[in-house]
Amino acid sequence: MVDQHMASPDQFVEDYIANLTNTQISTSIPMWDVHILNLKTCDAESTLVIRVHHSLGDGTSLMSFLISCCRKTSEPDALPSFPAAKKSRPHTGWFWKFWSVLLLAWNTLVDIWMCVATTYFLKDTQTPLKAPSRAVAFTSRRIVRRTFCVDDVILVKNATNTKVNDVVLAITQAGLSRYLNRKYGKCMGDGESWENNLPNSVRLTATLFINLRSYPGIYAIAEMVKKHSQTDWGNKIGYVLYPFKIALKDNPLDYIRDAKATMDRKKATLEAQFRLFMAKVFVRFYPTKLATFPLTTMWFSNVAGPQEEISLFGNQVTFIAPSLYGQPVALTIHIISYEKKISMVLSVDDNIIPDPYQLCDDFEEALKLVKKAVVAEGLIKK
């Protein structure tokens, strides 16, 4: 029986989930389970923990399933809106088509070579964020989150003519740089001015997961399970290697420029499709699929959530925090949007990253600095 008057209910929920990551889902029964923690925390009256084996579906499939089980709070009989992404229009004209094909082929060859090199000999710098070996896949995880106002992210996106994903990646890069700089040295003054304690060259790569469905976005479960549907259910994800440029920049908007340039480059490659093909080969012919993943420093994923407030079986949902465990890295970040909020959910090995809330603070501060720089440069009106 849970003590309803315990001193720290939020810590109890966090510890409960961390203890769950010490156990595995049995394959002899349906590979999912549900835990209801009827304990009031600072965010909600109770917490619902749904644990699902990844073989049943990827983030897009599981989010579609969750939304399909929910209803709008404002209209209890209506399904929530599904945030389907818009496909970009290709360039027209023979020259642009020829150039695009040529660029795609070259970028794909370079990225495949980099995947092979990263897997076997081109290793990331051994920073305070990096796991020393793949054995970290069998350790417990602590899952924490930090929520931001989605309007702040959209404000920066519109002012810099970028995508939400570009802004989130820029915030991540800036936050990681602040965190590692603190680890390598000491903060100067009141925290606004920093001594640069970072090594001259830090190689920090993320495994960035990509939804490879023909029509990206979140769809109703009835649509996804249709035969021959282009939004099919299951695991249909590939990944690319995303290099974070770890540095303290004088102009925070340089993080935005770095993220946009890198993502524009990653959109012109078949790296994710190649990795999905190789994953299927390894799963079929080798006993473990961990062999398909280069040993990067971290994993990163971004999935769209409900656009309006929802309820699950008559219970209002205050937040959604997807995460995972069993990965061969010490840090995994999931980005999830819900209504007017966007959350960064961190899954960390606290033997390697003992202060995940400090990392959350750095991400939050990074967003504030980027937003402040946007205003200072006159890109938006105050």
Side-chain angles (χ1 to χ4, degrees):
M1 194 71 177
V2 176
D3 181 8
Q4 297 291 327
H5 304 288
M6 65 177 63
S8 182
D10 294 85
Q11 188 64 47
F12 175 86
V13 172
E14 183 180 310
D15 292 341
Y16 183 92
I17 296 173
N19 288 332
L20 273 182
T21 67
N22 286 316
T23 64
Q24 296 185 359
I25 296 178
S26 173
T27 57
S28 62
I29 58 176
M31 292 186 290
W32 55 271
D33 52 41
V34 175
H35 305 255
I36 301 175
L37 303 179
N38 192 19
L39 181 66
K40 184 176 181 179
T41 63
C42 64
D43 294 308
E45 294 295 324
S46 60
T47 303
L48 175 67
V49 181
I50 306 174
R51 185 170 60 157
V52 182
H53 198 283
H54 215 310
S55 63
L56 298 182
D58 56 21
T60 297
S61 295
L62 298 176
M63 184 57 65
S64 296
F65 178 76
L66 174 65
I67 296 179
S68 295
C69 291
C70 295
R71 296 295 182 267
K72 293 182 180 179
T73 302
S74 58
E75 300 178 56
D77 295 327
L79 280 171
S81 303
F82 290 86
K86 296 180 180 179
K87 298 189 73 174
S88 59
R89 295 181 179 179
H91 290 290
T92 57
W94 68 268
F95 175 78
W96 282 112
K97 290 181 179 179
F98 173 77
W99 175 250
S100 297
V101 170
L102 190 65
L103 191 64
L104 184 71
W106 171 254
N107 288 344
T108 300
L109 288 174
V110 171
D111 289 339
I112 290 174
W113 161 246
M114 287 301 297
C115 277
V116 173
T118 303
T119 301
Y120 293 105
F121 59 85
L122 188 59
K123 306 299 183 183
D124 276 8
T125 305
Q126 190 61 51
T127 66
L129 292 171
K130 189 174 185 297
S133 71
R134 294 184 186 273
V136 73
F138 305 103
T139 60
S140 64
R141 297 306 161 105
R142 187 159 296 276
I143 297 173
V144 302
R145 66 184 176 87
R146 184 60 55 88
T147 300
F148 312 101
C149 178
V150 73
D151 290 340
D152 289 341
V153 176
I154 292 177
L155 181 146
V156 175
K157 174 189 82 75
N158 292 339
T160 56
N161 193 28
T162 55
K163 305 291 185 182
V164 168
N165 202 44
D166 298 333
V167 176
V168 171
L169 285 167
I171 293 168
T172 302
Q173 180 175 315
L176 293 174
S177 298
R178 291 175 60 87
Y179 180 84
L180 287 175
N181 186 67
R182 184 183 294 102
K183 287 293 184 180
Y184 281 115
K186 293 183 177 180
C187 178
M188 299 291 290
D190 60 0
E192 292 296 327
S193 59
W194 288 66
E195 178 184 2
N196 191 345
N197 302 296
L198 294 169
N200 291 330
S201 179
V202 176
R203 176 181 167 80
L204 196 157
T205 311
T207 301
L208 178 65
F209 290 91
I210 306 292
N211 178 11
L212 294 180
R213 290 169 176 81
S214 300
Y215 293 91
I218 303 297
Y219 293 85
I221 191 68
E223 175 66 25
M224 295 196 75
V225 298
K226 283 182 181 178
K227 190 176 182 180
H228 307 306
S229 170
Q230 292 181 308
T231 60
D232 50 327
W233 174 273
N235 283 285
K236 199 166 184 181
I237 52 174
Y239 68 84
V240 298
L241 298 181
Y242 185 95
F244 281 109
K245 300 176 182 178
I246 301 302
L248 296 182
K249 298 181 182 293
D250 294 330
N251 185 353
L253 294 183
D254 287 341
Y255 293 112
I256 300 285
R257 300 182 183 103
D258 284 349
K260 177 174 171 50
T262 303
M263 281 308 298
D264 286 348
R265 163 67 176 76
K266 289 299 180 180
K267 291 173 184 175
T269 179
L270 296 177
E271 179 184 358
Q273 289 83 349
F274 171 78
R275 297 310 305 183
L276 176 61
F277 169 76
M278 291 305 299
K280 291 179 178 179
V281 170
F282 271 93
V283 169
R284 182 175 178 83
F285 296 106
Y286 292 87
T288 175
K289 58 185 176 182
L290 285 180
T292 67
F293 289 106
L295 189 56
T296 56
T297 297
M298 58 179 287
W299 287 8
F300 190 96
S301 179
N302 187 358
V303 63
Q307 296 176 316
E308 63 269 297
E309 190 177 81
I310 60 174
S311 60
L312 180 63
F313 304 119
N315 298 285
Q316 180 183 338
V317 176
T318 58
F319 71 90
I320 304 172
S323 194
L324 55 78
Y325 65 96
Q327 63 273 30
V329 292
L331 172 63
T332 298
I333 299 178
H334 282 81
I335 308 298
I336 175 73
S337 59
Y338 173 43
E339 200 190 6
K340 293 296 184 180
K341 302 182 287 291
I342 188 167
S343 296
M344 300 185 76
V345 186
L346 279 58
S347 171
V348 305
D349 182 331
D350 52 9
N351 292 316
I352 298 172
I353 306 173
D355 51 353
Y357 285 105
Q358 179 60 66
L359 190 52
C360 290
D361 290 343
D362 287 325
F363 291 142
E364 185 172 12
E365 183 62 23
L367 176 57
K368 291 179 181 178
L369 291 174
V370 170
K371 181 182 175 182
K372 183 178 179 180
V374 165
V375 175
E377 293 201 6
L379 299 179
I380 59 171
K381 294 181 180 180
K382 292 185 180 180

